[in-house]
Amino acid sequence: MTSASLHSAAIGGADIRNVAIADRPGTISPNAMLGLIEWLSGDECHALDEAGLISGLGRRLRSLGLPLNRLTLHLMTLHPEIIGRTIAGAPGEPIEIHDRDHGAAAPFMKSALHEAMVTRQTVVASSHDPHGGWDHLDIFVGRSLVELMIVPLCNGDGPVSLATFATTRPGGFTPSEKLVIERIIPPLRNACELRTLRQIELSLLDTYVGPMTAQRILAGNIRKGEIETMQAALLLCDLRGFTELSNRLPSERVLELLNAYFDAVVPAVVLKGGEVLKFMGDAVLACFPGYDAEQASNAALEAATTIHRRMADLAFPDARLQAGIALHYGAVSYGNIGSGRRLDFTVIGPDVNLLSRIQGVCSDLNHPMLMSGAFRDQVRERAVSIGEHDLKGFTTPIELFSLPATGS
């Protein structure tokens, strides 16, 4: 790629006053420059989200006289679905935020932005250079930009993020304007790294433990033995015939089918306000907190029916996926258990045990969905009794119910 490169060593040590004088008119005062750096490092900027950061920075750079027509941040992250986030701003326009999935990297790989990321050096790319490689990217298309200054934001470890500064002015940025941009990069890098770490922290916690548990961890409730009791609708979904699938098919294929099954279950739970508490092999344990009993139970029932509907749409030549779902409303003790530095959040209690036993009856009777009397009492749908059943660990028989449409 034949784009001119600026190395921070070449201009970073220069005196901004000397460069500004050489470029007159348009001198940028050292005090104004210092004010911008202090803002990037201060409490006001610290409290802003990504959109507020790019809006405030763009406004301040333009107030210094920079002909800034497009400012973007490309913040790389750690996420199972998203490779990074682009935040873009322009004068008089709302801030744009684009989450980029892992499959959307191809256009970026052919751009000057990728060169800056790989070389970890500032790249200045002109629109007149046919190899500049940036005007095909969605955030720059149709903006008549003349020059892009692409600056890597190199953190202590992890992937390199980027900041881009673009202008429509003929001739591009002057040397003093480029120096201003270079001088703000250290505090901008720190501000972006802080936001990236926040995003990584939240996304990893949300991915691996769920939002409810993530909130507890971030609030500092991480000591072993800290228990919270709550009322919630509970759902336990179990994949039928998983052992047979595991024995018959290659492990890679079993994993594909298992993920297809989870893709039918988890979104249905989340859509109705539930939270997945555990993946237990081929089973999913979920709860629906934050509602009253009727709302929680109906949300769980709607999630269960959605799961069955989505699984009915799954068609594979080598497997037929079916599930049994147990539903119950009751009290659970939710907290931190384990030993030393290896702890886990889980739910325990008699109602969790009952849910598990109901699931066992689902499996024994090959029934798609069963619920307890406590759950039946809360839902609007008419449920019918399938009789009382002796459940292991319970001294008296428990009456179970099903919906007529799903009864066997």
Side-chain angles (χ1 to χ4, degrees):
M1 185 174 295
T2 58
S3 53
S5 295
L6 287 175
H7 300 280
S8 59
I11 65 174
D15 190 323
I16 190 171
R17 290 169 295 183
N18 294 336
V19 178
I21 292 172
D23 282 339
R24 290 185 182 184
T27 300
I28 300 170
S29 75
N31 287 338
M33 189 70 229
L34 180 60
L36 176 54
I37 292 173
E38 288 180 342
W39 176 79
L40 277 169
S41 306
D43 292 342
E44 179 185 347
C45 181
H46 178 82
L48 296 174
D49 59 11
E50 295 160 338
L53 168 63
I54 203 167
S55 176
L57 177 60
R59 185 171 62 253
R60 285 167 172 81
L61 285 173
R62 285 187 290 273
S63 72
L64 293 180
L66 269 70
L68 189 62
N69 300 104
R70 190 64 160 163
L71 172 62
T72 67
L73 296 174
H74 309 265
L75 305 182
M76 309 302 289
T77 189
L78 294 175
H79 192 282
E81 298 175 317
I82 299 168
I83 192 172
R85 170 172 290 179
T86 298
I87 309 98
E93 298 182 22
I95 301 299
E96 301 173 33
I97 298 179
H98 305 277
D99 285 333
R100 310 294 191 179
D101 62 40
H102 289 275
F108 177 82
M109 299 291 285
K110 300 177 182 179
S111 72
L113 280 70
H114 185 248
E115 178 186 345
M117 181 176 289
V118 171
T119 63
R120 293 176 171 244
Q121 294 185 354
T122 298
V123 172
V124 177
S126 169
S127 61
H128 303 300
D129 182 354
H131 303 288
W134 50 264
D135 55 353
H136 64 286
L137 299 177
D138 56 0
I139 54 172
F140 302 128
V141 169
R143 291 186 170 271
S144 302
L145 299 173
V146 171
E147 187 175 75
L148 218 66
M149 185 169 176
I150 311 161
V151 186
L153 305 174
C154 302
N155 303 322
D157 54 15
V160 177
S161 295
L162 298 171
T164 70
F165 305 81
T167 183
T168 60
R169 186 177 66 187
F173 295 110
T174 66
S176 67
E177 291 164 348
K178 292 173 182 175
L179 179 59
V180 168
I181 293 172
E182 288 281 352
R183 293 293 294 270
I184 68 167
I185 292 307
L188 177 60
R189 178 196 63 216
N190 294 341
C192 290
E193 183 175 18
L194 175 63
R195 285 158 179 81
T196 299
L197 289 174
R198 286 176 182 168
Q199 187 64 37
I200 290 174
E201 178 183 64
L202 290 172
S203 66
L204 289 179
L205 285 173
D206 184 57
T207 298
Y208 287 100
V209 300
M212 182 172 68
T213 303
Q215 291 173 9
R216 288 178 61 89
I217 292 173
L218 293 175
N221 299 319
I222 58 174
R223 293 184 61 191
K224 182 174 68 175
E226 291 185 336
I227 298 292
E228 173 189 353
T229 299
M230 62 181 180
Q231 298 285 331
L234 302 172
L235 179 153
L236 180 58
C237 182
D238 183 64
L239 181 64
R240 295 275 167 77
F242 181 67
T243 301
E244 187 273 334
L245 283 177
S246 300
N247 292 336
R248 178 169 58 87
L249 299 175
S251 298
E252 294 80 4
R253 180 55 180 159
V254 172
L255 186 60
E256 291 175 356
L257 292 171
L258 197 58
N259 280 327
Y261 157 67
F262 288 138
D263 282 340
V265 175
V266 175
V269 170
V270 174
L271 181 65
K272 297 303 178 181
E275 177 161 342
V276 172
L277 297 174
K278 293 288 180 185
F279 292 104
M280 302 177 294
D282 60 320
V284 178
L285 173 62
C287 73
F288 293 77
Y291 297 108
D292 63 30
E294 181 180 344
Q295 288 177 319
S297 299
N298 280 288
L301 181 59
E302 290 172 13
T305 56
T306 300
I307 290 169
H308 280 305
R309 185 173 64 252
R310 292 184 175 183
M311 291 193 66
D313 293 335
L314 298 177
F316 304 104
D318 54 354
R320 183 186 178 197
L321 300 187
Q322 294 180 299
I325 301 177
L327 298 165
H328 177 54
Y329 186 86
V332 295
S333 295
Y334 177 74
N336 217 352
I337 65 170
S339 175
R341 296 184 179 181
R342 184 60 181 93
L343 302 174
D344 189 21
F345 279 90
T346 192
V347 289
I348 58 174
D351 288 290
V352 179
N353 298 337
L354 176 58
L355 182 74
S356 177
R357 299 306 182 210
I358 296 172
Q359 175 57 60
V361 177
C362 274
S363 179
D364 293 342
L365 300 182
N366 195 30
H367 208 295
M369 187 193 308
L370 292 176
M371 64 186 72
S372 67
F375 189 92
R376 186 279 314 265
D377 292 342
Q378 302 298 336
V379 296
R380 294 184 293 268
E381 298 289 340
R382 183 174 63 86
V384 296
S385 174
I386 66 164
E388 294 184 340
H389 293 261
D390 293 319
L391 304 182
K392 184 178 179 180
F394 291 83
T395 58
T396 59
I398 303 295
E399 187 176 16
L400 300 180
F401 299 83
S402 71
L403 297 182
T406 61
S408 54

